[in-house]
Amino acid sequence: MKVDGTHYRTIWLTADDPSTVEIIDQRQLPHRFVVEPLRSVEDTFTAIKDMLVRGAGLIGATAGYGMYLAALQADESRLLEEMVRAGAYLKSARPTARNLGWAVDRMLAAVVELEAPATIRETSLATAAAIADEDAEFCRLIGEHGKTLIQDIARTKPGDPVNILTHCNAGWLAFVDYGSATAPIYAARDAGIDVHVWVDETRPWNQGSRLTCWELGKEAINHTLITDNAGGHLMQHGLVDLVIVGSDRTTRAGDVANKIGTYLKALAARDNDIPFYVALPSSTFDWQLVHGTDIEIEIRSGDEITTIAGLAKNGTIESVRLAPDSVEAANYVFDVTPSRLVNGLITERGILAAEEAAIVELFTDKITDTRSLHVTG
Ligand code: MRU
């Protein structure tokens, strides 16, 4: 997507130095646009854990390039062994986004039968680049499929904008390009449809107010920032036509882990008869899991709740304390929306019901461990 007229992806190889990967430090947005180099698997681990990069798709793409950096760093006599160790290390950076483990496993599968170090390194780079390219292309396709939902609503209210509510940031900053939840919005805008987006601020890390608002602003999409608690009120007053959110991990039965607070939006949407869709590339499906309650939910430091960072009047980014010094804070960062509250999943292959039979039918070729399948319905 464009930043002040220049096209950016969220991760790329340095043009004249193939041993360095570059990313945008998302902790500094929207106040500063800072590009950071990653030169080692340790840099990559820190970038994922400390959320310089975040969002399921981008975490996966970053892990892919991290495995390539591991291949460059490793002692040639134990290259594969060291890549396996790097994979386990990277997987431990954050637990919930499925794309992280998926990308590491894909990188290892690509090299496991190879012997020559030069071939392992070349294949690692080609596979990391393929993961990134595929992520961008899948998000573009999600946009094309999801656009039809917005078009259908636009036809019912000529002259009025389609009001879409989104939670967190499932935009291009959470992927390599386009985003998942935002891709249909960009595609609808490009098709001449008048769209307006309600952006949940998404406490405590504020992915909505800091990142989604920044992204939509750069793309000149009409949007309004709201508090996380405002969505139900807007829905009761007919001000939301459609909810589209992303996902960090979706079970093969269609239960959706996404940023904390998503479940409450799904409940409010169901109570108000508003369609609730989840946009995700197939790399976010966890084919081994059926029940969303089995998804590991990340718990981050309580400091993310008791303090807040922002731009001070003197132009520096400062953190200030919100809660009493001694307070105990529990920072659960994802929740699970059961499939029964999801009207449909928007994927690169089309829109489908959030049901095991439909998911398995559309993605049979992606499900490697067929022994674990037990299709219901
Ligand atoms: O904690 P984050 O920022 O890595 O969480 C990811 C998210 O931004 C959301 O949950 C998003 O809706 C899905 S990720 C594509």
Side-chain angles (χ1 to χ4, degrees):
M1 303 302 290
K2 293 227 169 92
V3 179
D4 301 332
T6 304
H7 177 260
Y8 277 91
R9 279 184 165 191
T10 51
I11 188 162
W12 62 93
L13 208 60
T14 305
D16 51 0
D17 175 9
S19 64
T20 303
V21 174
E22 291 180 317
I23 52 146
I24 302 160
D25 181 354
Q26 299 194 18
R27 298 169 309 177
Q28 311 219 33
L29 289 172
H31 312 300
R32 298 209 184 98
F33 187 81
V34 176
V35 171
E36 280 290 332
L38 306 179
R39 297 195 174 89
S40 64
V41 69
E42 290 78 15
D43 286 353
T44 310
F45 175 88
T46 304
I48 295 172
K49 189 166 185 56
D50 292 351
M51 293 175 66
L52 283 75
V53 292
R54 27 71 47 203
L58 179 56
I59 290 173
T62 307
Y65 279 109
M67 291 295 285
Y68 159 64
L69 294 175
L72 290 186
Q73 272 180 285
D75 186 316
E76 291 201 347
S77 64
R78 326 185 276 277
L79 216 160
L80 286 180
E81 204 183 304
E82 290 191 20
M83 284 185 75
V84 169
R85 191 159 339 114
Y89 172 56
L90 288 173
K91 280 184 184 180
S92 71
R94 294 190 71 188
T96 304
R98 168 63 194 137
N99 304 56
L100 174 53
W102 169 86
V104 167
D105 291 345
R106 179 163 165 182
M107 292 294 294
L108 289 173
V111 298
V112 74
E113 312 256 296
L114 305 177
E115 279 170 17
T119 315
I120 293 176
R121 288 177 175 143
E122 274 164 32
T123 305
S124 296
L125 178 55
T127 309
I131 288 172
D133 289 347
E134 188 180 285
D135 184 86
E137 176 59 8
F138 283 4
C139 284
R140 192 189 68 75
L141 290 168
I142 286 169
E144 289 305 308
H145 296 302
K147 176 179 74 178
T148 61
L149 296 171
I150 302 174
Q151 270 167 335
D152 289 348
I153 295 169
R155 277 189 211 106
T156 67
K157 45 185 311 199
D160 283 331
V162 177
N163 289 301
I164 301 157
L165 185 142
T166 194
H167 189 67
C168 196
N169 172 262
W172 73 272
L173 289 167
F175 289 88
V176 173
D177 211 343
Y178 302 103
S180 63
T182 52
I185 296 169
Y186 293 129
R189 183 273 313 268
D190 292 346
I193 298 169
D194 188 6
V195 286
H196 166 261
V197 184
W198 296 110
V199 182
D200 283 355
E201 64 176 344
T202 320
R203 279 286 289 153
W205 212 78
N206 289 319
Q207 285 92 335
S209 59
R210 297 197 304 104
L211 305 178
T212 305
C213 289
W214 181 80
E215 269 196 53
L216 295 176
K218 293 292 177 200
E219 282 288 328
I221 299 271
N222 192 11
H223 63 284
T224 307
L225 174 64
I226 52 174
T227 62
D228 288 334
N229 298 327
H233 170 78
L234 295 176
M235 291 181 199
Q236 285 174 325
H237 287 80
L239 296 170
V240 179
D241 298 306
L242 172 68
V243 180
I244 310 181
V245 298
S247 173
D248 296 270
R249 188 180 292 252
T250 292
T251 70
R252 67 166 193 256
D255 291 346
V256 172
N258 194 51
K259 184 54 58 189
I260 193 82
T262 301
Y263 172 47
L264 296 178
K265 294 298 138 68
L267 285 171
R270 180 54 55 95
D271 193 44
N272 290 281
D273 256 336
I274 292 163
F276 180 96
Y277 280 84
V278 178
L280 72 159
S282 54
S283 46
T284 300
F285 280 110
D286 187 334
W287 306 118
Q288 307 303 318
L289 286 189
V290 177
H291 304 294
T293 42
D294 290 334
I295 296 175
E296 182 177 349
I297 298 297
E298 181 178 12
I299 302 173
R300 293 182 66 85
S301 164
D303 293 349
E304 290 180 356
I305 302 180
T306 57
T307 63
I308 196 161
L311 192 66
K313 285 201 174 118
N314 65 7
T316 58
I317 295 178
E318 285 179 13
S319 175
V320 294
R321 192 158 181 96
L322 295 168
D325 272 349
S326 54
V327 76
E328 284 271 332
N331 186 11
Y332 296 91
V333 304
F334 299 101
D335 62 21
V336 174
T337 299
S339 58
R340 67 188 153 77
L341 297 177
V342 177
N343 290 77
L345 304 172
I346 312 170
T347 73
E348 73 270 14
R349 292 189 181 176
I351 301 175
L352 67 155
E355 288 167 6
E356 187 168 15
I359 295 168
V360 167
E361 189 186 346
L362 194 59
F363 290 104
T364 313
D365 57 308
K366 302 250 179 200
I367 304 171
T368 45
D369 184 3
T370 46
R371 285 163 308 166
S372 66
L373 286 180
H374 58 94
V375 181
T376 57

